[in-house]
Every structure is written in structure tokens, then in C-alpha cells.
Amino acid sequence: KDGRIFLDEYQVSMDELEDHLKRLVAGQKKQLFLRADKEVPYGTVVQVMGEIKAAGIDKLGIVAEEPKQDKNK
């Protein structure tokens, strides 16, 4: 929600993202999983998805948190 982007535990800028993705993931034909805080603007998520596509990664999974269960039920 504060605008920071991480590949695993390493922080990268939006400008560096495509190059890091190409180096780390694209050449290995691996699937990438994207997880974003619910406070992140949708436009930012779409921008990151665009960088992922531009890096040549076709297999993109979206990680969603499971809804919290009401413990009183």
C-alpha cells in the first residue's frame, strides 16, 4: 500500500522491474505469482502486470487472501 515493489524479499523500483524480471524469471519459463495489498490502487497493479508481460512472462498467477472467517459462527 505504500508503493513499494518486491521480487521475493528484494525491493525494486517500477523502472527496474522489467529488467529484474527478465534476468530472474523470464528465461527460466517459470510462473510468477503477484500479490498486492488491498490498499494498492488498481492502476498500479495493472502497471506491474504490464511490466511482467513486457518481460516475456506469460504465466502469471494472482495470490488472493482467503476471507477471514467469523469465529462466532
Side-chain angles (χ1 to χ4, degrees):
K1 68 181 177 182
D2 61 8
R4 295 182 297 159
I5 300 170
F6 290 86
L7 287 174
D8 290 325
E9 67 273 8
Y10 302 103
Q11 185 173 349
V12 298
S13 71
M14 186 69 77
D15 293 337
E16 301 170 322
L17 183 58
E18 182 181 345
D19 288 337
H20 282 285
L21 289 169
K22 283 180 179 177
R23 185 171 42 85
L24 296 173
V25 180
Q28 300 174 26
K29 299 198 186 308
K30 290 187 176 181
Q31 184 172 4
L32 184 106
F33 293 93
L34 174 64
R35 179 177 56 210
D37 187 277
K38 67 180 180 179
E39 303 290 325
V40 175
Y42 182 70
T44 301
V45 174
V46 170
Q47 186 178 2
V48 169
M49 291 172 72
E51 293 293 324
I52 292 167
K53 177 105 172 120
I57 299 168
D58 294 325
K59 295 181 180 180
L60 174 62
I62 306 296
V63 178
E65 290 185 18
E66 292 188 25
K68 293 182 181 177
Q69 298 292 329
D70 184 359
K71 293 180 182 180
N72 295 326
K73 287 185 179 183

